[in-house]
Amino acid sequence: MAAFYSFMAVLALVFIAAIGAGSAGMYTLFGVAIPYVALLVFLAGFIYRIVYWAKSPVPFSIATTGGQQKSLPWIKNSPWDNPYTVTGTVIRMILEVVTFRSLFRNTKIDLRVDNVKVVYGSAKFLWLFALIFHMAFFTILIRHMRLFLDPVPACIQKIEFLDSILQVGIPTLYQTDLLILVGLTFLLLRRIVDVKVNYISLAQDYFPLFLLLGIAISGIYMRYFIKADVISIKELTMGLLSFKPALPEKALETTFFVHLFLVSCLLAYFPFSKLMHLAGVFLSPTRNLPNNTRRQHYTNPWNDPAIKPHSYAAYEDDFREKMIEAGLPVEKEA
Amino acid sequence: MAKLPPPEELVKINYSTPVKGWMDVPADFRPGTFSYPGKPDILKYLGFPNPREWSPTDADWKLPPDWREIIMKGFRERLDKYRSFKVFMDICVRCGACADKCHFYIGSGDPKNMPVLRAELLRSIYRGEFTVAGKILSRLAGARKLEEDVVKEWFMYFYQCTECRRCSLFCPYGIDTAEITMMARELLTLVGCNINWILEPAANCNRTGNHLGIQPHAYKDMMDFLCEDIETITGIHIEPPVNKKGAEILFITPSGDIFADPGIYTYMGYIMLFHELGLDYTWSTYASEGGNFGLFTSDTMMKKLNGKMYAEAKRLGVKWILGGECGHMWRVINQYMDTMNGPADFLETPVSPITGTRFDAAAGTKMLHIAEFTADLIKNGKLKLDPSRNANLRTTFHDSCNPARGMGLFEEPRYVLKNVCENFVDMPEETIREQTFCCGGGAGLNNEEFMEMRMRGGLPRGSAVKYVQEKNQVNTLVTICAIDRATLPPLCDYWAPGVQVAGLHELVANALVMEGEQERTMNMRQEPLPGFEDAEEEE
Amino acid sequence: MPTLSDLIEKNKEPLLSRWLDLILATYAKETALLWKQQRNQFTNPVGNRIREGIQGILTCLLADENGSYQEQAAVFLDDIVRVRAVQDFKPSEAVSFIYLLKKVLREDLWAEIKASDLFVELLALESRIDSLALLSLDIYANCREKLYAMRIKEVKNVQKRLLERANIICGYSDVQAGGEDRSPE
Ligand code: HEM
Ligand code: SF4
Ligand code: SF4
């Protein structure tokens, strides 16, 4: 049900754009106004969310330790899984963000003894396809920078070259275009088919997947099927970027407006959704802090010095006679 | 031919749970799956709200009239106090990586024991009350309203989480359900829903310094009692220093070990080890509890109980503190103590008086783990050990959750163990070290009324023990946690009968060759040592 | 003509798989699938115990016609019952899994049984299954007793030494053996 609602919602968005920018011809609205608003919402929302999080302190340093601590010099420690320095923690974070290291922990191959068959559980696939999706998404994002930068920097051209290294098709196929579809499809199917994940899934888990699929498919359709006019599009984007928005002379395809509208929706939706895990992962105290609180002091801003232990004096008052009788030393003789 | 009735009609089999969303399945309180609520006089002593007689099986939980406002206010306060809470409420993508990592889920199959759903119990309220989308879309956005049934559900499932953090290890964002459980338990405490097994020990600790509420003279008495046993075993008479001012080291360990089998053998082990070293140290009756049930109650309770350690160190004028074998005590010491009650400037960085090793890892809290201390002694050849006295034991090692995932203490105890006992094997990789499975009784759930649930949660650990029992003839499960020493014996009894549970320093004491000892014929449990079995029978 | 044993032997895999499905269906749906798929015996102990348990039980039932199958099967029954004894099941539910084998056999093999007229053998096998059900009940009761015994032991263990020490109760550890009273008959 949740999946269905989400699908319908994305479908509705597609229609809104198709009708609005297609038949109704509201180019300025869909090509200029909405993207601006979306970007504004994105930036404001993003900053708001970060500030909202950052306003709360991290009272305790609660790293989840995933390896041997640093203690005695002759015991080998795990510098990344149980970092005690800032460097180690940074490496841990990088590995976490770039390779999804924690997710990879799942990925142990089950060796079945009975018939010596290697069985990969679904968790292994989760790591692989999540990584595929994110990497592809990231690469595509960078590739899109060519629309916003003039001249196109060499590094972006390099990435484009690498991404199309297989040199198949006209225009040449970007591997990431396929990969992002593969990744998204897997993540979506997993949510629907895997009963356990299905049980915990909410509408807001399906919605971004459908939205991203919509974006990817419309993008792919533009590039490979109707071969959209990139020069004109770049005219529009550069105009937007220089705050002199103007629609290009040549009319743009409806598909482009659908694509742009979906991206705008993604931008506007982003800060209020779980997609904020992008920023949240960096603020997660079980990962971004070193395990060094036995070495050095860590300050809790709201630590209340007024909270005192039940004092020794009160304790002794309570039990003095019995202590003396038992031969235990006391501070005050009775 | 008449149609045969299908055989399963003989008994009504309840095929799977109804296909309902989890929000529609109310908590069902069956004996064995919940802990008894806090007693009114204990709540009063601790100054906790809403003391009353009640039971989770009652329809009316006698919540205060404005319970909803209290919880919402408490919720807001905690969001403002803990970034972890906010972030963990917002960023879960429900990928399910954590779902099958919880021992309670593995053993029970109850979906609400999946860490992600456990957290969703709270998250759904967060969405419903704190987010705009949740308020408008409600169910569709995974949000719901705070009802009394929700409180009941919280009580059920947040007291079915042992705060072991296994889920956190596998989460791509490190979302720590233990942290969420802590918040939920604090909220529950605000409206008077808590469990006695946590509160009574906390109250006792506060007043008498230990869980059971043993008064100082009785504590001393127990100690003498154990020293008599030591004399029987070794022929050496020891009078351990207690509350001694000016000693170099203060030793603190969980009080559970002085009262109950098999903890007492470890306790005796400490006494013997320190005597043999001629250590200038002292025990304390005021700070006779290393464990801290405040961790399972609230941050203020934790701080209050923990404060005794430094207060006593200061009063006695020691240089540093040595801590015994315990699980959650070490989570508190490693991750909370210095922040709450430090910096401990009046103490010095621990230096072993025997080997001269400086323990920089403890430079902040000035508190050293006994396994680190002993490992260093052995490495430097300062202990005379006779591992053959443990030759009848085939051991494996249970990593307790807290030292594992809240500290990373893996090699030190293993090093010690391998030096005092020649037969050692580890359990399978996915059940030890950072991936270790809980004993099923952590975070204050080691009470007897919870036994059935504990066995469920203990199944993954039990299976691993059984595996090495069958494959490697393991007969002893060694652990460095006082709660484990209480919870693992029934666990083994049920899932791997024939495996006994021992503390690390019990085995050290067995192997320790002491100066002036009589010929040792029995181990710490006064069972014959290998090679002396016959002698016993002849008597 | 094939015997019932041959028939079962031939169809062992699908029969076991169906039996497993039916047993897992007594758990939550999400869980059932997970437990069926996950083969790691340490991270999925319940699923694996059941899987291996039923395999063992079926083998025992077939291997021995006269008597000792019960003893052999007890180990495997124990694997399963021990788990179900602590899992929120009523006693009848906890041991009912064994009857599900009857269901599987009747439903999946009915045509062949009818064709080869193996009803007598089927009745004999079903009786043996029934006896295993009784055995399961014993195991279940043992497990529950153990559970309560452990609870009592735990309560006692906390206080025993204190009471002993406080001289409230007397211990016998230092009393010579030999003066044993005869237990009343
Ligand atoms: C530092 C960056 C990021 C990290 C470490 C990260 C990590 C992850 C991981 C581990 C998952 C779990 C896979 C799953 O849920 O099935 C996930 C899911 C997801 N991520 Fe990211 N992510 C990052 C950035 C982003 C960004 C920038 C987006 C932008 C759109 C994004 C979109 C998604 C989506 C839509 C899912 C959900 C997949 C699903 O629901 O099944 N992520 N992310
Ligand atoms: S692993 Fe983390 S992100 Fe995934 S469902 Fe669990 S808590 Fe949520
Ligand atoms: S902390 Fe441990 S007990 Fe709690 S949900 Fe996570 S895995 Fe389960």
Side-chain angles (χ1 to χ4, degrees):
Chain A
M1 222 42 207
F4 178 72
Y5 283 136
S6 303
F7 177 70
M8 291 314 282
V10 173
L11 209 60
L13 294 179
V14 173
F15 275 116
I16 290 172
I19 294 168
S23 359
M26 294 184 277
Y27 301 121
T28 321
L29 178 66
F30 283 89
V32 179
I34 290 179
Y36 267 140
V37 173
L39 193 66
L40 218 65
V41 172
F42 173 76
L43 290 176
F46 199 91
I47 292 168
Y48 167 80
R49 182 52 53 130
I50 301 284
V51 171
Y52 165 76
W53 284 338
K55 267 202 308 214
S56 298
V58 180
F60 302 109
S61 174
I62 51 165
T64 306
T65 55
Q68 171 64 38
Q69 65 166 349
K70 170 85 180 158
S71 62
L72 292 157
W74 46 273
I75 291 177
K76 198 181 161 327
N77 66 314
S78 312
W80 303 337
D81 283 325
N82 190 349
Y84 73 105
T85 58
V86 175
T87 324
T89 314
V90 169
I91 295 176
R92 183 183 203 189
M93 281 310 293
I94 291 175
L95 287 174
E96 202 64 83
V97 169
V98 178
T99 70
F100 297 1
R101 191 173 165 84
S102 289
L103 212 51
F104 186 71
R105 268 183 204 284
N106 279 337
T107 61
K108 261 230 350 262
I109 299 158
D110 297 350
L111 257 183
R112 273 166 65 193
V113 204
D114 45 2
N115 49 2
V116 200
K117 203 168 95 190
V118 184
V119 183
Y120 296 87
S122 62
K124 289 92 188 164
F125 289 116
L126 173 61
W127 171 78
L128 181 66
F129 285 92
L131 202 61
I132 287 178
F133 158 67
H134 283 87
M135 285 303 174
F137 183 89
F138 185 67
T139 317
I140 291 172
L141 208 65
I142 293 183
R143 279 204 279 99
H144 275 67
M145 287 304 134
R146 73 145 46 241
L147 297 174
F148 301 94
L149 298 170
D150 205 27
V152 179
C155 59
I156 291 182
Q157 292 181 356
K158 191 92 167 206
I159 288 174
E160 283 174 354
F161 170 72
L162 287 175
D163 198 357
S164 54
I165 196 122
L166 292 179
Q167 293 293 331
V168 288
I170 303 171
T172 48
L173 176 76
Y174 288 127
Q175 287 109 59
T176 47
D177 288 355
L178 276 184
L179 290 177
I180 197 168
L181 286 183
V182 169
L184 283 170
T185 311
F186 171 84
L187 291 177
L188 182 62
L189 283 181
R190 179 172 173 272
R191 266 198 202 289
I192 294 168
V193 176
D194 185 329
V195 221
K196 164 180 60 110
V197 184
N198 184 288
Y199 195 64
I200 58 178
S201 293
L202 303 169
Q204 69 229 47
D205 298 321
Y206 296 104
F207 181 71
L209 287 172
F210 282 119
L211 192 59
L212 285 164
L213 268 176
I215 294 173
I217 292 171
S218 58
I220 288 169
Y221 186 68
M222 256 194 311
R223 177 175 163 83
Y224 301 101
F225 296 93
I226 57 173
K227 309 210 165 67
D229 178 2
V230 183
I231 311 285
S232 306
I233 292 174
K234 187 155 183 176
E235 245 176 76
L236 175 71
T237 55
M238 291 311 287
L240 288 172
L241 205 64
S242 56
F243 295 106
K244 291 192 216 71
L247 289 168
E249 276 143 47
K250 260 194 7 215
L252 289 164
E253 294 83 355
T254 309
T255 318
F256 169 71
F257 285 105
V258 171
H259 187 68
L260 187 59
F261 182 62
L262 291 182
V263 171
S264 303
C265 291
L266 180 68
L267 282 176
Y269 174 70
F270 197 98
F272 311 101
S273 70
K274 69 169 194 181
L275 299 180
M276 280 303 284
H277 65 259
L278 158 72
V281 64
F282 293 97
L283 294 181
S284 179
T286 60
R287 292 290 185 273
N288 71 5
L289 288 169
N291 172 34
N292 66 356
T293 32
R294 205 153 59 102
R295 281 168 195 274
Q296 60 196 53
H297 186 69
Y298 180 89
T299 306
N300 171 6
W302 48 261
N303 192 28
D304 182 1
I307 298 170
K308 293 263 190 282
H310 181 69
S311 73
Y312 176 81
Y315 168 84
E316 198 182 291
D317 288 345
D318 217 356
F319 302 111
R320 184 169 296 109
E321 258 90 276
K322 289 167 180 167
M323 289 173 78
I324 295 171
E325 217 173 287
L328 291 168
V330 288
E331 301 260 313
K332 266 196 304 196
E333 294 300 330
Chain B
M1 201 183 110
K3 188 145 173 20
L4 280 170
E8 83 273 23
E9 251 180 37
L10 297 170
V11 280
K12 272 269 165 293
I13 292 180
N14 179 15
Y15 278 120
S16 88
T17 47
V19 199
K20 273 198 226 161
W22 58 264
M23 284 189 199
D24 299 314
V25 185
D28 178 17
F29 288 92
R30 291 221 216 166
T33 60
F34 62 86
S35 308
Y36 298 151
K39 293 182 190 145
D41 47 343
I42 304 279
L43 262 71
K44 277 183 207 142
Y45 171 76
L46 291 170
F48 283 1
N50 200 15
R52 70 203 182 288
E53 289 286 352
W54 67 287
S55 161
T57 49
D58 296 343
D60 177 12
W61 281 25
K62 302 182 202 157
L63 300 177
D66 55 343
W67 64 269
R68 206 175 262 113
E69 290 73 52
I70 297 176
I71 290 187
M72 288 331 295
K73 183 163 161 276
F75 210 129
R76 198 164 295 116
E77 277 169 15
R78 277 159 190 79
L79 286 171
D80 289 339
K81 276 165 86 175
Y82 294 90
R83 185 180 303 161
S84 53
F85 194 26
K86 269 187 184 168
V87 172
F88 293 167
M89 283 294 109
D90 281 335
I91 65 169
C92 171
V93 300
R94 282 162 297 283
C95 67
C98 59
D100 53 353
K101 302 300 179 291
C102 177
H103 51 283
F104 280 123
Y105 177 64
I106 293 175
S108 75
D110 179 349
K112 282 184 197 166
N113 274 322
M114 297 183 197
V116 48
L117 261 197
R118 202 188 301 284
E120 288 287 309
L121 301 181
L122 212 59
R123 225 175 253 134
S124 54
I125 301 301
Y126 170 79
R127 289 192 204 104
E129 307 278 349
F130 294 103
T131 67
V132 183
K135 280 192 178 128
I136 301 169
L137 297 173
S138 80
R139 273 273 175 120
L140 197 56
R144 58 176 175 171
K145 286 262 160 282
L146 186 57
E147 306 291 349
E148 210 165 315
D149 271 348
V150 172
V151 173
K152 292 184 177 176
E153 196 178 39
W154 284 2
F155 182 82
M156 175 116 196
Y157 290 100
F158 289 116
Y159 285 102
Q160 281 185 4
C161 165
T162 50
E163 302 182 1
C164 75
R165 309 178 96 207
R166 192 167 194 267
C167 46
S168 154
L169 184 73
F170 294 93
C171 173
Y173 321 116
I175 293 178
D176 183 2
T177 310
E179 198 66 10
I180 293 168
T181 295
M182 287 180 195
M183 296 298 121
R185 287 186 179 187
E186 289 196 25
L187 294 179
L188 287 167
T189 296
L190 293 178
V191 292
C193 299
N194 26 39
I195 68 172
N196 202 56
W197 189 260
I198 294 178
L199 293 194
E200 194 163 327
N204 283 336
C205 270
N206 191 50
R207 180 154 176 234
T208 63
N210 57 67
H211 277 177
L212 286 168
I214 307 298
Q215 302 182 12
H217 61 292
Y219 188 91
K220 175 76 170 52
D221 211 35
M222 274 311 291
M223 205 174 210
D224 294 343
F225 187 43
L226 297 183
C227 286
E228 283 169 26
D229 278 358
I230 294 177
E231 197 167 344
T232 310
I233 297 162
T234 64
I236 297 175
H237 177 75
I238 306 177
E239 283 184 20
V242 184
N243 296 352
K244 180 177 122 190
K245 285 202 173 176
E248 184 182 354
I249 301 164
L250 168 63
F251 182 68
I252 301 177
T253 201
S255 64
D257 280 343
I258 196 177
F259 300 114
D261 292 2
I264 49 170
Y265 310 119
T266 301
Y267 196 94
M268 284 151 48
Y270 299 141
I271 295 179
M272 285 161 61
L273 175 69
F274 299 152
H275 172 82
E276 181 59 21
L277 295 172
L279 207 63
D280 177 18
Y281 83 110
T282 181
W283 297 80
S284 160
T285 57
Y286 164 68
S288 53
E289 178 57 69
N292 189 328
F293 272 32
L295 176 66
F296 315 137
T297 317
S298 69
D299 64 280
T300 46
M301 198 69 225
M302 165 166 65
K303 177 172 155 110
K304 200 167 157 57
L305 295 181
N306 175 263
K308 283 188 166 184
M309 292 191 183
Y310 282 153
E312 185 68 341
K314 200 167 201 164
R315 185 183 76 86
L316 296 175
V318 300
K319 285 193 186 147
W320 54 275
I321 311 174
L322 185 59
E325 299 177 11
C326 181
H328 70 279
M329 157 179 169
W330 276 98
R331 168 116 207 260
V332 174
I333 293 168
N334 189 44
Q335 300 199 318
Y336 296 98
M337 181 175 188
D338 189 54
T339 302
M340 294 186 300
N341 293 311
D345 297 331
F346 59 95
L347 296 171
E348 294 169 13
T349 301
V351 175
S352 170
I354 316 297
T355 65
T357 306
R358 216 178 106 97
F359 295 94
D360 287 318
T365 49
K366 321 284 199 280
M367 194 150 175
L368 188 67
H369 194 290
I370 183 88
E372 298 170 319
F373 180 73
T374 307
D376 173 62
L377 290 172
I378 295 174
K379 182 78 182 176
N380 285 291
K382 300 290 182 190
L383 294 184
K384 236 162 107 198
L385 298 168
D386 178 5
S388 74
R389 292 182 189 164
N390 285 320
N392 56 334
L393 305 181
R394 302 185 66 88
T395 56
T396 189
F397 184 73
H398 166 74
D399 289 284
S400 310
C401 307
N402 284 299
R405 287 180 286 264
M407 190 171 176
L409 187 83
F410 302 119
E411 286 307 330
E412 296 88 342
R414 281 182 173 76
Y415 178 78
V416 174
L417 182 52
K418 286 178 198 162
N419 274 285
V420 296
C421 177
E422 275 157 8
N423 311 316
F424 168 78
V425 285
D426 256 324
M427 285 177 277
E429 197 186 340
E430 55 271 64
T431 69
I432 53 163
R433 295 179 192 260
E434 68 274 6
Q435 300 197 34
T436 187
F437 276 114
C438 185
C439 63
L445 304 183
N446 53 326
N447 52 63
E448 68 47 54
E449 68 266 21
F450 200 59
M451 187 66 82
E452 186 173 330
M453 196 68 201
R454 273 167 54 189
M455 288 306 119
R456 271 183 232 178
L459 173 57
R461 172 44 77 228
S463 301
V465 174
K466 182 123 192 269
Y467 177 78
V468 285
Q469 182 188 21
E470 284 170 358
K471 183 156 172 266
N472 307 89
Q473 293 78 48
V474 162
N475 58 14
T476 305
L477 180 59
V478 179
T479 174
I480 48 166
C481 171
I483 290 187
D484 279 333
R485 282 191 278 274
T487 55
L488 290 176
L491 184 148
C492 289
D493 215 11
Y494 194 82
W495 293 118
V499 176
Q500 62 172 359
V501 177
L504 182 63
H505 280 77
E506 174 186 344
L507 268 58
V508 172
N510 279 343
L512 186 68
V513 180
M514 298 175 76
E515 217 175 285
E517 68 180 6
Q518 65 195 29
E519 189 194 17
R520 288 239 218 143
T521 58
M522 47 189 170
N523 65 16
M524 299 308 295
R525 301 185 180 200
Q526 306 202 14
E527 298 156 354
L529 285 176
F532 293 93
E533 293 90 347
D534 302 336
E536 184 85 341
E537 274 159 30
E538 276 163 28
E539 266 180 36
Chain C
M1 214 173 74
T3 64
L4 184 59
S5 300
D6 297 339
L7 203 54
I8 294 175
E9 199 64 60
K10 207 175 77 207
N11 294 300
K12 207 166 175 181
E13 281 303 312
L15 288 174
L16 281 173
S17 164
R18 257 253 306 162
W19 192 13
L20 179 66
D21 282 343
L22 288 176
I23 297 175
L24 288 179
T26 59
Y27 296 93
K29 199 171 69 169
E30 308 66 54
T31 309
L33 203 83
L34 184 73
W35 283 354
K36 188 164 164 98
Q37 289 170 344
Q38 259 239 28
R39 292 300 184 113
N40 184 309
Q41 76 180 95
F42 303 109
T43 51
N44 177 19
V46 182
N48 280 284
R49 271 170 177 257
I50 298 179
R51 190 195 320 278
E52 279 160 26
I54 57 174
Q55 209 166 354
I57 293 168
L58 194 60
T59 312
C60 293
L61 277 172
L62 297 183
D64 185 301
E65 307 278 317
N66 45 12
S68 71
Y69 71 92
Q70 286 203 358
E71 243 163 71
Q72 293 161 15
V75 182
F76 298 108
L77 287 172
D78 188 277
D79 271 352
I80 301 175
V81 176
R82 189 165 292 273
V83 172
R84 291 174 72 88
V86 291
Q87 270 178 339
D88 250 353
F89 290 111
K90 296 199 192 83
S92 57
E93 294 170 339
V95 299
S96 62
F97 72 93
I98 189 82
Y99 290 115
L100 295 173
L101 176 59
K102 281 192 184 179
K103 179 181 164 81
V104 173
L105 292 177
R106 284 192 205 170
E107 287 182 3
D108 292 14
L109 300 181
W110 190 255
E112 280 117 314
I113 289 175
K114 216 166 159 185
S116 321
D117 196 20
L118 294 169
F119 290 111
V120 176
E121 281 184 51
L122 180 66
L123 281 180
L125 183 64
E126 291 207 341
S127 298
R128 271 186 272 152
I129 293 177
D130 288 341
S131 76
L132 290 191
L134 291 177
L135 198 57
S136 301
L137 201 62
D138 289 347
I139 298 171
Y140 177 84
N142 281 341
C143 288
R144 297 298 299 188
E145 261 170 36
K146 179 112 171 204
L147 217 53
Y148 287 105
M150 291 184 328
R151 288 179 61 174
I152 294 167
K153 189 168 164 198
E154 197 160 289
V155 178
K156 277 194 185 153
N157 190 21
V158 175
Q159 279 141 11
K160 194 181 68 188
R161 281 185 186 262
L162 276 177
L163 295 179
E164 251 176 48
R165 191 57 196 158
N167 274 333
I168 296 172
I169 55 172
C170 65
Y172 290 91
S173 57
D174 45 0
V175 179
Q176 282 292 314
E180 69 253 47
D181 300 23
R182 242 184 320 129
S183 47
E185 255 112 68

